[in-house]
Amino acid sequence: ILNPAITTTYELTVINNGCVSNPVATTTVTVNDTPTTAPSSSYTVNTDCAASDLALFANITNGSGTVNSYAWSGPNGFSSADANPVIASATEAANGNYILTITDDNGCTATGNVTVNTITNTVAQPVIASSGPACEGEEIS
Protein backbone atom coordinates (compact mmCIF):
# COMPACT_ATOMS: atom_id res chain seq x y z
CA ILE A 1 0.00 0.00 0.00
CA LEU A 2 1.39 3.38 -0.99
CA ASN A 3 0.69 6.68 0.74
CA PRO A 4 1.91 9.39 -1.63
CA ALA A 5 2.02 12.93 -0.27
CA ILE A 6 1.82 14.51 -3.74
CA THR A 7 0.28 13.60 -7.08
CA THR A 8 2.47 10.83 -8.48
CA THR A 9 2.65 8.77 -11.69
CA TYR A 10 3.46 5.09 -11.25
CA GLU A 11 4.83 2.78 -13.95
CA LEU A 12 4.39 -0.97 -14.07
CA THR A 13 6.70 -3.26 -15.99
CA VAL A 14 6.12 -7.02 -16.01
CA ILE A 15 9.12 -9.29 -16.37
CA ASN A 16 8.31 -12.95 -16.99
CA ASN A 17 11.15 -15.44 -17.65
CA GLY A 18 13.41 -12.61 -18.76
CA CYS A 19 10.83 -11.10 -21.12
CA VAL A 20 9.85 -7.46 -20.46
CA SER A 21 6.33 -6.21 -21.12
CA ASN A 22 5.90 -3.60 -23.79
CA PRO A 23 4.41 -1.03 -23.45
CA VAL A 24 4.90 -0.08 -19.82
CA ALA A 25 1.59 0.49 -18.03
CA THR A 26 1.24 3.81 -16.14
CA THR A 27 -1.28 5.31 -13.78
CA THR A 28 -1.39 8.67 -12.04
CA VAL A 29 -2.63 8.98 -8.49
CA THR A 30 -3.98 12.46 -7.70
CA VAL A 31 -3.46 13.51 -4.11
CA ASN A 32 -5.76 16.31 -2.90
CA ASP A 33 -4.73 18.57 -0.04
CA THR A 34 -6.80 17.96 3.07
CA PRO A 35 -8.62 21.07 4.32
CA THR A 36 -7.96 22.18 7.85
CA THR A 37 -10.42 23.62 10.31
CA ALA A 38 -9.57 25.57 13.42
CA PRO A 39 -12.46 27.00 15.42
CA SER A 40 -11.33 29.15 18.35
CA SER A 41 -9.70 26.94 20.95
CA SER A 42 -11.82 28.26 23.83
CA TYR A 43 -13.58 31.38 24.92
CA THR A 44 -15.94 32.65 27.58
CA VAL A 45 -19.16 34.58 27.11
CA ASN A 46 -19.92 36.91 30.01
CA THR A 47 -23.50 38.05 30.19
CA ASP A 48 -25.10 40.60 32.46
CA CYS A 49 -28.51 39.67 33.86
CA ALA A 50 -29.58 37.86 30.69
CA ALA A 51 -28.13 35.29 28.32
CA SER A 52 -26.33 36.49 25.19
CA ASP A 53 -26.03 34.98 21.73
CA LEU A 54 -23.14 32.55 21.27
CA ALA A 55 -21.56 32.65 17.79
CA LEU A 56 -19.38 29.77 16.58
CA PHE A 57 -16.94 30.41 13.73
CA ALA A 58 -15.25 28.00 11.33
CA ASN A 59 -11.76 29.16 10.34
CA ILE A 60 -11.12 27.10 7.21
CA THR A 61 -7.89 26.75 5.29
CA ASN A 62 -8.97 25.15 2.05
CA GLY A 63 -7.02 22.28 0.64
CA SER A 64 -7.37 21.69 -3.08
CA GLY A 65 -11.17 21.65 -2.97
CA THR A 66 -14.09 23.82 -1.96
CA VAL A 67 -15.89 23.14 1.32
CA ASN A 68 -19.18 21.39 0.54
CA SER A 69 -20.56 20.76 4.00
CA TYR A 70 -20.26 21.77 7.64
CA ALA A 71 -21.40 19.53 10.49
CA TRP A 72 -21.39 21.02 14.00
CA SER A 73 -22.35 18.99 17.08
CA GLY A 74 -22.22 19.95 20.72
CA PRO A 75 -23.75 19.96 24.17
CA ASN A 76 -27.45 19.82 24.89
CA GLY A 77 -28.18 18.13 21.53
CA PHE A 78 -26.78 21.01 19.46
CA SER A 79 -26.21 20.40 15.74
CA SER A 80 -25.94 22.69 12.74
CA ALA A 81 -24.99 22.55 9.06
CA ASP A 82 -24.15 26.29 9.00
CA ALA A 83 -20.55 27.45 8.68
CA ASN A 84 -20.99 29.99 11.49
CA PRO A 85 -24.02 29.06 13.61
CA VAL A 86 -25.41 31.25 16.40
CA ILE A 87 -27.00 29.90 19.57
CA ALA A 88 -29.51 32.53 20.63
CA SER A 89 -29.67 33.39 24.35
CA ALA A 90 -26.99 30.88 25.36
CA THR A 91 -26.95 29.86 29.02
CA GLU A 92 -24.91 27.43 31.09
CA ALA A 93 -26.52 24.60 29.08
CA ALA A 94 -24.30 25.71 26.16
CA ASN A 95 -21.11 24.90 28.11
CA GLY A 96 -18.91 22.22 26.62
CA ASN A 97 -17.09 20.93 23.57
CA TYR A 98 -18.31 21.71 20.04
CA ILE A 99 -17.01 19.59 17.16
CA LEU A 100 -16.93 20.79 13.55
CA THR A 101 -16.37 18.39 10.65
CA ILE A 102 -16.01 19.83 7.17
CA THR A 103 -16.04 17.96 3.87
CA ASP A 104 -14.72 19.39 0.61
CA ASP A 105 -15.77 18.57 -2.94
CA ASN A 106 -12.87 16.09 -3.25
CA GLY A 107 -14.33 14.07 -0.38
CA CYS A 108 -11.55 15.08 2.02
CA THR A 109 -12.62 15.80 5.61
CA ALA A 110 -11.17 17.66 8.56
CA THR A 111 -12.33 18.00 12.14
CA GLY A 112 -11.77 20.69 14.76
CA ASN A 113 -13.27 21.53 18.10
CA VAL A 114 -13.90 24.47 20.41
CA THR A 115 -14.58 24.53 24.14
CA VAL A 116 -17.13 27.07 25.31
CA ASN A 117 -17.62 28.25 28.89
CA THR A 118 -20.73 30.39 29.21
CA ILE A 119 -21.10 32.40 32.40
CA THR A 120 -24.42 34.02 33.18
CA ASN A 121 -24.16 36.73 35.82
CA THR A 122 -27.37 36.89 37.77
CA VAL A 123 -28.45 39.31 40.47
CA ALA A 124 -29.06 37.75 43.90
CA GLN A 125 -32.61 37.77 45.23
CA PRO A 126 -32.87 40.66 47.73
CA VAL A 127 -33.96 40.01 51.30
CA ILE A 128 -36.05 42.68 53.00
CA ALA A 129 -36.40 42.96 56.78
CA SER A 130 -37.36 45.77 59.10
CA SER A 131 -36.88 46.62 62.76
CA GLY A 132 -40.60 47.40 63.12
CA PRO A 133 -43.20 47.76 64.34
CA ALA A 134 -42.63 51.46 64.95
CA CYS A 135 -44.66 54.33 66.25
CA GLU A 136 -45.40 57.34 64.10
CA GLY A 137 -42.29 59.50 63.75
CA GLU A 138 -39.84 56.75 64.84
CA GLU A 139 -37.07 55.60 62.53
CA ILE A 140 -36.95 52.07 61.26
CA SER A 141 -34.07 50.25 59.59
Side-chain angles (χ1 to χ4, degrees):
I1 296 177
L2 302 173
N3 293 312
I6 60 172
T7 298
T8 306
T9 299
Y10 295 94
E11 295 181 352
L12 174 64
T13 303
V14 178
I15 301 174
N16 187 7
N17 292 328
C19 297
V20 179
S21 64
N22 190 15
V24 173
T26 63
T27 187
T28 300
V29 175
T30 301
V31 176
N32 296 312
D33 295 331
T34 301
T36 57
T37 176
S40 301
S41 59
S42 66
Y43 56 91
T44 300
V45 177
N46 290 305
T47 60
D48 293 320
C49 302
S52 296
D53 292 350
L54 172 63
L56 301 171
F57 297 96
N59 294 328
I60 307 298
T61 302
N62 284 338
S64 57
T66 302
V67 175
N68 270 356
S69 68
Y70 300 86
W72 285 93
S73 62
N76 209 24
F78 175 78
S79 67
S80 176
D82 294 336
N84 302 313
V86 175
I87 301 171
S89 301
T91 64
E92 288 89 354
N95 282 348
N97 194 36
Y98 291 80
I99 298 170
L100 169 62
T101 301
I102 60 169
T103 304
D104 70 14
D105 58 358
N106 293 318
C108 298
T109 62
T111 301
N113 67 320
V114 59
T115 301
V116 175
N117 297 304
T118 303
I119 301 171
T120 302
N121 297 321
T122 56
V123 177
Q125 177 84 26
V127 176
I128 299 175
S130 73
S131 60
C135 295
E136 184 178 335
E138 291 181 344
E139 291 185 7
I140 61 170
S141 58

